[in-house]
Amino acid sequence: MGHPGRAALTNWNDYDDFINKYKPDPFNKSIYEFALLIKKAFGQNKYRMGHIADFGPFQRAFNIRGFTNFLLDHRKNPEKVKMLLKRETDWHVEAMKACYKYRLDPHGFWIVDDLGEQTCPFFSPKVFEEFIQKVQMRI
């Protein structure tokens, strides 16, 4: 299907401006108000999954940077890739903590992260270990 949209961060030199402009607060209580209403409406004894974001850290990072650029960056700018993945992972971890702070009390989390094509992964096991495994272990 391809990757819709255009990258928000086409040049790494604009990273600081991007971060200052786009810094969602995972502890903004208003983000969780609808989920609290659903929890109250459907009962406390239901199995609850926290769906905290549109995508997981890897997919959010490649949407920010642009898919092709982000894949190339794994070799051309590996430290910048790790920096962006850390930012996105930190946000996810903090959002998970906020779910408990605001009493959503999920039993688990649903995080969608596209790591491959229909027939193979986007990268080798070595690249996975270097970049993605740490992200998934932290989450």
Side-chain angles (χ1 to χ4, degrees):
M1 297 297 293
H3 300 278
R6 59 184 165 87
L9 181 64
T10 56
N11 188 326
W12 282 112
N13 292 332
D14 299 329
Y15 182 80
D16 290 335
D17 292 336
F18 173 82
I19 295 304
N20 289 328
K21 185 175 181 181
Y22 300 104
K23 49 183 173 186
D25 179 7
F27 286 97
N28 176 351
K29 189 174 183 178
S30 68
I31 296 171
Y32 307 94
E33 289 174 355
F34 182 69
L36 284 168
L37 290 174
I38 296 294
K39 179 183 171 185
K40 287 179 185 177
F42 293 102
Q44 301 289 328
N45 297 324
K46 301 288 183 183
Y47 187 81
R48 294 177 301 279
M49 292 296 291
H51 192 320
I52 57 173
D54 50 354
F55 300 117
F58 178 78
Q59 197 162 346
R60 285 181 75 170
F62 79 61
N63 284 335
I64 289 167
R65 182 72 177 112
F67 182 70
T68 301
N69 287 338
F70 191 64
L71 290 182
L72 291 171
D73 283 335
H74 283 74
R75 285 299 158 234
K76 289 184 172 185
N77 300 296
E79 294 310 312
K80 293 184 186 319
V81 168
K82 290 175 184 176
M83 178 177 60
L84 184 55
L85 285 172
K86 181 182 181 325
R87 175 184 185 260
E88 297 308 313
T89 303
D90 289 348
W91 186 90
H92 277 75
V93 169
E94 294 302 307
M96 288 183 217
K97 290 177 184 176
C99 286
Y100 293 103
K101 176 180 180 177
Y102 297 125
R103 309 289 302 157
L104 287 171
D105 303 322
H107 297 98
F109 292 93
W110 178 351
I111 299 174
V112 177
D113 227 352
D114 189 356
L115 301 175
E117 300 177 17
Q118 297 300 315
T119 59
C120 63
F122 290 137
F123 29 66
S124 70
K126 181 180 174 184
V127 173
F128 178 88
E129 286 178 20
E130 183 179 350
F131 295 95
I132 307 303
Q133 186 173 359
K134 294 172 187 167
V135 168
Q136 293 190 341
M137 294 297 292
R138 176 140 189 257
I139 287 177

